[in-house]
């Protein structure tokens, strides 16, 4: 340390009369401009991120999702038995060796549930992501451009929202087939209008702020203003929307599989399994239906736990 | 923090309607108690009005809320007492507190719309305030009519049938005051009661409070950031800083002869007594308010005080009585050195460009109109505006809300396209009506500084990105060259390089506005339109921003269109002033002519409505009625229904032309200028 002045701890806060109010800017002081409580809110938000990681709901949600992600990634290699091999003749109730029991042709239900995680974890987030992307695009255009464009698109969106989900899904499958991409597209198409409405509302709140006027005054294009100026400021609701939608997507994908779209027999997909087995509930054979159904429920709940935590942080609980 | 006893000034705690004794309040923020009030003591006698002043964040409102025990959930009283009429509010149970708030004390807030239930008729809301006190419905209804009469509402029965949204802001605030007075309170707390109102309406509400105070003999605690309001309404004033009263005394004495460095600084940073930018820059208070809960072991003002020395750093300043009457004190070690501050020579005047006819004209507006259409109704927001702006000149635009000030700014910038037939010319060349179809050169020539920097700066961009993008877009330079320009610009605006990599929310209000000004100057503009650029800022910060604007203008010869409702600010900065009413220019002329008169009757009323911190005898002209809707303007001269000097048979028939009454001074009035001068002289003489 040759120059003692270089590390003078006071060099940051020395005030010169000429520099009037802009002298000091330590993080502590940053929160202290204008109204006391408002200024504090900024710091509180950062603190909230630290708090969310200590939230039990968030931890439980992340843990369950991680369990299913591990199952989806490793699939057969961590399953106790082969998912497609027949081990017993006919049903066996849960017991040592087969903790979830076996199904009507003797396959291990636990292994099938583990292996079946892959389909839903691939399709649901993809569908949700696609739906959110399209929804953001549509909502941005509706909210920012406004006028008759908004009027026309809003009516279309409302009309779409009025259609029953299952009916739309069945129609799509009937006309387009039951491939994975059809399922993804159906999920995306179902979510686009919902997301668009949320984004539109957020954009309308931003559209009239002066920074947008200022961008117009320097000659920015509408595209630039929408996606470079406004988009970063509405990311909060979009992220919330994405997490919430992934939860719903799991549900929709499972429903579609139950109705016959997506993976076909003998796939161990959860919705497929429920669909294949639910008839035998009345005969007292509950385990072939309950375990895959519980898997669906646990994933939906876990994603929703995460979504709730994210929402309370981003929107201030 | 050592609790100290302050000499009780007027009454003893028992006789006072409100006695606050060494009150300490903390806000719990993330589990940590942060001190907001650090031993506040004062008393208000029955029938007395006491004002609290200070910049935002100093604890004025917290004191008011603590007096009512209305603190936010995370606030708590950790020391001291509040006695209202001898009863200790701090120790009351929930039941006692409810009874106390219903019968002994009332509060009026800044926004009257929020104090009323929007879906209940005025009458029912008022009647409820009386039935709560044990009256029957019929008695309540009678009392409600009486209460509305008391607040000078002309037609109470009709107002009772209305919903809050059907009343203007001034009427709403009257109704709220009527509700507050329902219980005949011993204590009335007013928290910025006129901040959201227009000047002429504000004057009426203040007059009302003044009258009611005498009628009811209630003690009034008034919180206001406007020192003029405090002076005109309050007998005594307490100056707060960082949770402590640093000076207290009769308001006239405190404002005329301040005895604390903070009070001196506050008063010196106001543009007052007709000071102009050519004479001197405004004084500023260096530094910023300490963080709440900050460690302030000795003098709270230490860090920003020009008199601070080792004594101030080591010892709590004593309470020093001022004068011999025992009704004033200050908390300062160096009372004897206060005159140095008061008389301190102001900084050297900046070389302001003298506006003269020789300066070339940059902007000319001819026949500029703007009509908004709402369904099938057309609303003329601007009607046939003609204005010129010379190089290096500041044109102030004043007027109340709805006068068309902001629409004018938008029409000039092309944010709102002016109507067909309007002409906005830059250097004698007509520009396109809308920004989007203007050339880059035209866009570059005109930029804007907005009222609220929080809205004007993109909160997810860094300062550097905001400035970079503007430089690149307007000047065409890119990359390192643009970056160099940004850094030069920031240095010019006295922003340090480390501010460049922060986001707006990490900056104080004054710094944010500096960034917004830097952006406006990024493309070396010819004209900058400033829309109330300092109205969201504290006075000491406002002073710094006004100095900066004057400085930049002197160096760059930029012209300003400066929109404001603050007459002190516009007088300081503007070379010429245009007064607008209902979208029309009523008067335009050199600043001194417009202020000194003879001036338009509307200008005269506007000037007399403004409470002055200097307490000069102002004429008291009160306008009748409300500002009419621009959709349905009055016949003839649009000002005639409210004009105290209107000539029957003339003014309501024909609209006067904007005629020249003196060189460069134009006025839209039927009364000949000499007659107007005589009238205004005699009104002024009466006021004295």
């Amino acid at each position: 340390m040759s120059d003692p002045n270089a590390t003078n701890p006071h060099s940051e806060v020395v005030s010169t009369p000429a520099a009037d109010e802009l002298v000091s800017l330590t993080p502590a002081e940053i929160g202290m401009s204008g109204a006391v409580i408002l200024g504090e809110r900024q710091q509180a938000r950062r603190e909230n991120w630290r708090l969310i990681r200590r939230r039990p709901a968030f931890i439980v949600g992340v843990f369950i999702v991680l369990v299913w992600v591990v199952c989806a990634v490793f699939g057969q290699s961590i399953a106790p038995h082969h998912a497609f091999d027949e081990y017993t003749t006919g049903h066996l109730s849960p017991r040592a060796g087969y903790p979830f029991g076996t199904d009507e042709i003797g396959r291990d239900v636990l292994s099938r549930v583990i292996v079946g995680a892959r389909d839903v974890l691939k399709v649901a987030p993809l569908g949700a992501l696609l739906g959110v992307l399209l929804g953001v695009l549509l909502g941005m255009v509706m909210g920012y451009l406004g006028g008759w464009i908004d009027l026309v698109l809003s009516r279309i969106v409302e009309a779409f929202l009025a259609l029953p989900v299952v009916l739309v899904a069945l129609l799509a499958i009937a006309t387009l087939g039951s491939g994975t991409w059809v399922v993804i597209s159906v999920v995306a198409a179902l979510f686009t209008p919902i997301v668009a409405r949320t984004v539109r509302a957020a954009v309308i709140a931003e559209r009239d702020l002066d920074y947008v006027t200022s961008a117009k005054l320097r000659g920015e294009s509408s595209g630039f203003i929408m996606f470079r100026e406004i988009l970063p400021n509405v990311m909060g609701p979009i992220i919330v929307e994405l997490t919430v939608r992934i939860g719903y997507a799991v549900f929709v994908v499972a429903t579609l599989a139950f109705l016959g779209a997506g993976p076909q027999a003998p796939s161990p997909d959860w919705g497929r399994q429920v669909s294949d087995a639910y008839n035998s509930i009345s005969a007292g054979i509950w385990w072939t239906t309950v375990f895959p159904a519980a898997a669906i429920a646990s994933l939906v709940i876990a994603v929703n736990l995460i979504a709730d935590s994210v929402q309370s942080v981003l929107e201030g609980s | 923090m050592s609790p100290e006893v302050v000499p009780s000034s007027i009454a003893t705690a028992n006789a006072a309607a409100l006695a606050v004794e060494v009150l300490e309040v903390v806000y719990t923020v993330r589990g940590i108690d942060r001190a907001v009030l650090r031993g506040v003591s004062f008393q208000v006698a029955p029938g007395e009005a006491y004002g609290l002043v200070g910049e935002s964040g100093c604890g004025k409102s917290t004191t008011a809320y603590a007096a009512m025990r209305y603190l936010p959930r995370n606030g708590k009283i950790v020391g001291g007492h509040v006695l209202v009429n001898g009863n200790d509010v701090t120790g009351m149970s929930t039941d006692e507190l409810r009874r106390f708030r219903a019968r002994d004390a009332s509060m009026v807030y800044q926004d009257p719309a929020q104090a009323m239930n929007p879906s209940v008729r005025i009458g029912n809301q008022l009647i409820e305030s009386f039935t709560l006190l044990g009256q029957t419905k019929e008695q309540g209804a009678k009392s409600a009519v009486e209460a509305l009469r008391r607040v000078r509402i002309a037609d109470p029965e009709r107002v009772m049938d209305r919903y809050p949204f059907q009343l203007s802001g001034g009427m709403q605030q009257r109704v709220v005051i009527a509700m507050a007075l329902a219980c005949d309170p011993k204590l009335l707390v007013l928290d910025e009661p006129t901040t959201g109102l227009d000047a002429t309406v504000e004057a009426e509400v203040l007059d009302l409070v003044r009258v009611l105070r005498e009628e009811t003999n209630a003690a009034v605690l008034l919180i206001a950031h406007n020192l003029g309001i405090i002076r005109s309404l309050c007998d005594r004033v307490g100056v707060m800083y960082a949770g402590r009263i640093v000076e207290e005394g009769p308001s006239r004495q405190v404002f005329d002869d301040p005895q604390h460095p903070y009070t001196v600084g506050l008063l010196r940073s106001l543009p007052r007594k007709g000071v102009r930018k050519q004479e001197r820059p405004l004084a500023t208070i260096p530094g910023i308010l300490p963080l709440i809960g900050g460690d302030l072991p000795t003098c709270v003002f230490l860090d920003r005080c020009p008199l601070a020395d080792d004594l101030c750093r080591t010892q709590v300043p004593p309470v020093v009585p001022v004068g011999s009457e025992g009704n004033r004190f200050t908390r300062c070690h160096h009372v004897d050195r206060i005159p140095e501050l008061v008389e301190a020579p102001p900084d050297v005047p900046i070389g302001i460009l003298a506006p003269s006819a020789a300066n070339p004209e940059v902007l000319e507006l001819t026949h500029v109109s703007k009509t908004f259409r709402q369904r099938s109704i057309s609303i003329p927001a601007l009607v046939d505006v003609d204005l010129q702006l010379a190089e290096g000149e500041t044109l102030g635009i004043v007027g109340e809300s709805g006068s068309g000030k902001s629409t004018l700014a938008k029409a000039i910038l092309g944010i709102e396209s002016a109507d067909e037939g309007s002409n906005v010319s830059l250097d004698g060349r007509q520009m396109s009506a809308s920004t989007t179809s203007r050339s880059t050169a035209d866009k570059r020539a005109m930029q804007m500084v907005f009222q609220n920097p929080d809205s004007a700066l993109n909160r997810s961009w860094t300062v550097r990105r905001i400035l970079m993008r503007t430089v690149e877009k307007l000047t065409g330079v890119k990359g390192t060259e643009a970056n160099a320009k940004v850094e030069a610009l920031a240095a010019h605006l006295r922003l340090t390089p480390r501010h460049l990599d922060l986001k707006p929310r990490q900056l104080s209000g004054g710094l944010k506005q500096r960034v917004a000004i830097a952006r406006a100057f990024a493309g070396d503009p010819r004209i900058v339109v400033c829309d109330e650029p300092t109205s969201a800022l504290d006075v000491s910060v406002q002073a710094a921003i006004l100095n900066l604007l004057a400085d930049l203008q002197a160096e760059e010869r930029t012209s300003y269109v400066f929109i404001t409702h603050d007459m002190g600010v516009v007088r300081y900065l503007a070379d010429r002033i245009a007064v607008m009413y209902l979208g029309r220019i009523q008067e335009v002329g050199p600043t001194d002519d417009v202020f000194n008169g003879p001036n338009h009757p509307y200008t005269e009323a506007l000037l007399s409505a403004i409470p002055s911190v200097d307490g000069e005898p102002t004429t008291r002209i009160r306008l009748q009625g409300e500002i009419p809707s621009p959709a349905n303007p009055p016949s003839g001269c649009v000002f005639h229904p409210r004009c105290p000097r209107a000539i029957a048979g003339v003014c309501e028939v024909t609209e006067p032309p904007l005629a020249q009454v003196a060189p460069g001074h134009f006025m839209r009035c039927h009364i000949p200028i000499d007659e107007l001068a005589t009238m205004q002289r005699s009104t002024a003489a009466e006021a004295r």
Side-chain angles (χ1 to χ4, degrees):
Chain A
M1 225 182 280
S2 54
D3 179 9
N5 291 326
T7 54
N8 179 357
H10 298 293
S11 62
E12 288 291 283
V13 286
V14 167
S15 90
T16 54
D20 56 58
E21 94 272 23
L22 53 88
V23 273
S24 42
L25 252 184
T26 61
E29 283 158 327
I30 284 161
M32 193 47 222
S33 62
V36 176
I37 305 160
L38 267 175
E40 291 280 333
R41 199 173 289 167
Q42 308 289 356
Q43 295 184 340
R45 192 173 300 167
R46 247 166 281 158
E47 200 100 337
N48 266 344
W49 270 116
R50 235 166 296 152
L51 289 177
I52 188 186
R53 278 178 265 149
R54 279 184 235 136
R55 272 176 113 110
F58 185 75
I59 295 171
V60 171
V62 168
F63 176 75
I64 296 173
V65 168
L66 278 180
V67 166
W68 290 125
V69 167
V70 167
C71 292
V73 171
F74 297 101
Q76 191 56 64
S77 52
I78 55 165
H81 299 282
H82 199 279
F84 297 99
D85 285 355
E86 293 154 25
Y87 294 94
T88 58
T89 45
H91 298 290
L92 268 188
S93 60
R95 65 194 59 204
Y98 304 104
F100 285 8
T102 59
D103 64 11
E104 60 194 2
I105 53 172
R107 293 173 298 195
D108 178 34
V109 175
L110 173 62
S111 301
R112 287 179 66 76
V113 166
I114 290 172
V115 174
R118 187 172 294 172
D119 287 302
V120 70
L121 279 175
K122 215 166 50 186
V123 173
L126 266 177
L129 191 67
L130 191 62
V132 168
L133 283 178
L134 293 172
V136 167
L137 204 68
L138 189 62
M140 195 60 98
V141 168
M142 285 159 64
Y144 182 69
L145 297 180
W148 64 268
I149 295 178
D150 181 31
L151 212 69
V152 171
L153 290 177
S154 288
R155 291 300 94 77
I156 294 173
V157 161
E158 277 158 24
F160 208 86
L161 286 172
L163 296 174
V165 175
V166 174
L167 191 70
V168 175
L170 282 177
L171 268 173
I173 290 155
T175 50
L176 300 171
S178 59
T180 307
W181 279 103
V182 174
V183 176
I184 291 176
S185 309
V186 168
V187 172
L190 285 174
F191 290 170
T192 300
I194 302 171
V195 177
R197 270 209 316 198
T198 309
V199 174
R200 173 179 176 272
V203 171
I204 284 176
E206 294 288 319
R207 183 182 65 186
D208 295 326
L209 293 184
D210 292 332
Y211 73 87
V212 173
T213 310
S214 173
K216 286 182 194 159
L217 281 177
R218 63 169 189 262
E220 300 288 5
S221 65
S222 294
F224 184 93
I225 294 176
M226 281 191 269
F227 296 103
R228 308 292 288 279
E229 295 264 7
I230 295 180
L231 185 62
N233 293 321
V234 296
M235 277 316 280
I238 291 174
I239 289 169
V240 169
E241 200 57 34
L242 182 65
T243 47
V244 171
R245 288 301 136 207
I246 289 175
Y248 279 105
V250 171
F251 206 75
V252 172
V253 169
T255 308
L256 289 176
F258 180 82
L259 293 171
Q264 299 299 314
S267 161
D269 176 79
W270 298 344
R272 183 86 244 161
Q273 284 192 60
V274 174
S275 166
D276 290 345
Y278 79 103
N279 275 330
S280 40
I281 288 184
S282 51
I285 300 157
W286 50 271
W287 56 91
T288 47
T289 308
V290 164
F291 288 113
I296 296 168
S298 71
L299 184 56
V300 173
I301 290 169
V303 174
N304 277 327
L305 287 177
I306 296 172
D308 278 351
S309 306
V310 170
Q311 182 162 20
S312 67
V313 166
L314 289 180
E315 294 178 356
S317 43
Chain B
M1 214 184 299
S2 60
E4 343 160 27
V5 179
V6 172
S8 64
S9 32
I10 281 199
T12 60
N14 289 329
L18 169 68
V20 175
E21 294 176 343
V22 218
L23 188 66
E24 288 171 31
V25 169
V26 298
Y27 285 138
T28 311
V29 184
R30 271 161 284 128
I32 302 162
D33 286 351
R34 291 160 205 259
V36 189
L37 299 187
R38 304 159 189 269
V40 172
S41 301
F42 64 92
Q43 292 178 4
V44 191
E48 186 189 30
Y50 186 91
L52 281 176
V53 297
E55 294 176 284
S56 51
C58 68
K60 312 185 288 292
S61 290
T62 300
T63 307
Y65 285 91
M68 300 285 296
R69 282 262 312 265
Y70 268 144
L71 286 173
R73 197 165 297 180
N74 65 338
K76 62 173 184 272
I77 295 171
V78 292
H81 297 275
V82 176
L83 301 169
V84 175
N85 223 24
N87 302 319
D88 192 346
V89 180
T90 32
M92 283 184 181
S93 68
T94 323
D95 268 354
E96 288 171 325
L97 203 56
R98 189 162 45 232
R99 231 168 299 137
F100 157 73
R101 288 177 188 152
R103 292 170 191 281
D104 294 331
S106 296
M107 189 153 180
V108 173
Y109 306 88
Q110 180 173 338
D111 184 358
Q114 281 185 16
M116 286 189 277
N117 186 335
S119 58
V120 178
R121 290 178 202 273
I122 299 291
N124 292 341
Q125 300 198 39
L126 256 174
I127 292 168
E128 197 191 348
S129 338
F130 289 101
T131 49
L132 267 178
L133 297 167
Q135 297 192 359
T136 63
K137 268 228 144 135
E138 291 70 36
Q139 286 171 326
K142 237 176 263 164
S143 308
V145 173
E146 209 40 59
L148 288 177
R149 284 231 173 81
R150 199 176 182 190
V151 294
R152 276 71 184 170
I153 285 178
D155 191 358
E157 284 85 2
R158 242 189 48 202
V159 170
M160 299 262 287
D161 272 340
R162 300 272 179 103
Y163 288 98
F165 73 91
Q166 293 171 307
L167 303 181
S168 67
M171 287 281 265
Q172 286 181 350
Q173 197 60 296
R174 278 161 197 266
V175 172
V176 171
I177 293 173
M179 285 186 204
L181 293 177
C183 63
D184 244 323
K186 314 281 186 306
L187 170 67
L188 181 62
V189 180
L190 304 163
D191 186 11
E192 302 272 4
T194 57
T195 302
L197 306 176
D198 273 315
T200 55
V201 182
E202 169 181 273
E204 285 182 81
V205 172
L206 292 178
D207 284 348
L208 175 69
V209 173
R210 210 172 282 127
V211 175
L212 290 174
R213 203 188 106 203
E214 279 162 24
E215 284 179 14
T216 60
N217 204 35
V220 173
L221 175 61
L222 175 69
I223 314 293
H225 69 278
N226 183 332
L227 304 186
I229 292 179
I230 299 275
R231 170 151 195 165
S232 78
L233 212 62
C234 295
D235 308 303
R236 288 191 305 133
V237 61
V239 181
M240 283 195 83
Y241 185 82
R244 201 172 276 174
I245 293 182
V246 294
E247 179 171 3
E248 185 190 89
S251 35
R252 194 161 311 167
Q253 290 179 27
V254 170
F255 290 143
D256 286 344
D257 178 27
Q259 290 295 323
H260 190 278
Y262 179 59
T263 321
V264 174
L266 212 52
L267 287 163
R268 277 173 56 93
S269 58
L270 282 174
R272 51 197 279 233
K273 294 182 174 148
V275 65
R276 305 286 305 276
K277 63 183 171 184
Q278 290 88 343
E279 294 161 30
R280 62 169 174 87
L282 298 167
T284 59
I285 305 175
I288 61 166
L289 196 71
L291 188 69
I292 60 157
D295 194 20
L296 302 168
T298 58
C299 176
V300 285
F301 191 55
L302 180 71
D303 288 343
R304 300 174 73 185
C305 183
L307 298 180
D309 61 13
D310 281 341
L311 180 63
C312 305
R313 273 180 269 277
T314 50
Q315 281 178 35
V316 178
V319 171
V320 185
V322 179
S324 53
E325 290 160 53
N327 58 356
R328 264 195 89 175
F329 74 83
T330 176
R331 274 172 200 260
C332 185
H333 284 297
H334 300 299
V335 186
D336 49 318
R337 289 178 58 202
I338 296 290
E340 290 173 32
L341 291 180
V342 178
E343 290 149 22
D347 311 348
V348 269
I350 15 185
I352 296 292
L353 176 78
S356 76
N359 291 334
E361 201 167 86
V362 275
L363 182 74
E364 180 165 25
L365 309 184
T366 33
H367 305 303
V368 172
S369 299
K370 172 71 196 172
T371 312
F372 290 103
R373 274 178 220 294
Q374 217 170 54
R375 300 202 179 96
S376 58
I377 310 162
S378 59
I379 303 159
L382 279 184
V383 183
D384 201 19
V385 170
D386 292 345
L387 280 175
Q388 298 81 35
L389 185 63
E391 187 181 275
E393 184 188 43
T394 302
L395 174 66
I397 312 261
V398 297
E400 295 171 281
S401 54
S403 63
K405 311 188 291 288
S406 294
T407 310
L408 179 63
K410 287 178 184 159
I412 293 173
L413 290 160
I415 300 166
E416 299 275 4
S417 304
D419 293 350
E420 204 74 14
S422 306
N423 184 347
V424 180
S425 296
L426 180 72
D427 298 323
R429 185 175 42 79
Q430 181 167 2
M431 285 188 296
S432 163
S434 133
T435 318
T436 38
S437 42
R438 284 184 188 171
S439 68
T440 306
D442 284 351
K443 283 177 194 145
R444 187 179 171 177
M446 278 200 261
Q447 285 294 315
M448 181 163 182
V449 178
F450 299 87
Q451 174 173 7
N452 181 354
D454 289 316
S455 161
L457 303 176
N458 191 333
R459 57 192 183 280
S460 45
W461 284 27
T462 61
V463 172
R464 188 187 300 277
R465 186 165 175 211
I466 291 169
L467 298 180
M468 259 307 243
R469 183 74 195 175
T470 314
V471 165
E472 287 178 348
K473 225 27 211 176
L474 292 178
T475 64
V477 298
K478 299 258 183 261
T480 48
E481 207 185 326
N483 197 36
K485 209 168 155 41
V486 165
E487 277 166 14
L489 183 69
H492 197 166
L493 275 282
R494 290 191 240 133
L495 293 162
T496 68
R498 85 200 144 92
H499 292 139
L500 284 175
D501 295 309
L502 298 176
K503 292 195 173 165
R505 70 178 143 79
Q506 293 168 294
L507 304 173
S508 69
L511 279 170
K512 276 184 261 194
Q513 199 57 295
R514 239 167 241 275
V515 172
I517 293 170
R519 178 179 61 191
F521 276 87
D524 303 317
R526 308 282 310 279
I527 300 159
V528 173
V529 177
C530 304
D531 188 359
E532 307 255 17
T534 60
S535 68
L537 306 175
D538 276 319
V539 287
S540 66
V541 182
Q542 163 175 293
I545 294 293
L546 293 178
N547 287 343
L548 177 71
L549 285 171
D551 237 342
L552 284 169
Q553 181 171 52
E555 288 165 30
E556 318 270 333
R557 298 176 67 82
T558 317
S559 309
Y560 292 144
V561 175
F562 195 92
I563 295 170
T564 182
H565 65 273
D566 186 322
M567 290 297 192
V569 166
V570 80
R571 186 170 202 179
Y572 176 74
L573 208 64
D575 302 303
R576 283 193 306 135
I577 290 177
V579 182
M580 294 188 71
Y581 187 78
L582 276 189
R584 292 146 178 90
I585 295 207
Q586 298 293 352
E587 177 171 12
V588 56
T591 303
D592 283 334
D593 289 4
V594 171
F595 270 90
N596 299 337
N599 41 27
H600 191 281
Y602 176 60
T603 313
E604 190 190 4
L606 211 52
L607 288 172
S608 93
I610 290 152
S612 164
V613 66
D614 297 314
E616 301 146 352
T618 46
T619 52
R620 289 166 44 81
I621 296 167
R622 292 295 180 259
L623 297 183
Q624 297 302 307
E626 311 280 344
I627 302 169
S629 154
N632 192 10
S635 62
C637 173
V638 288
F639 184 56
H640 87 261
R642 301 178 73 200
C643 183
R645 307 198 187 283
I647 311 166
V650 179
C651 293
E652 69 268 33
V653 183
T654 45
E655 176 155 38
L658 192 62
Q660 180 152 260
V661 293
H665 189 185
F666 298 81
M667 209 182 284
R668 201 186 280 282
C669 189
H670 284 298
I671 307 171
I673 187 75
D674 300 334
E675 234 174 274
L676 206 53
T678 319
M679 285 173 172
Q680 291 179 347
R681 261 198 306 275
S682 73
T683 313
E686 274 167 41
R688 256 176 229 118

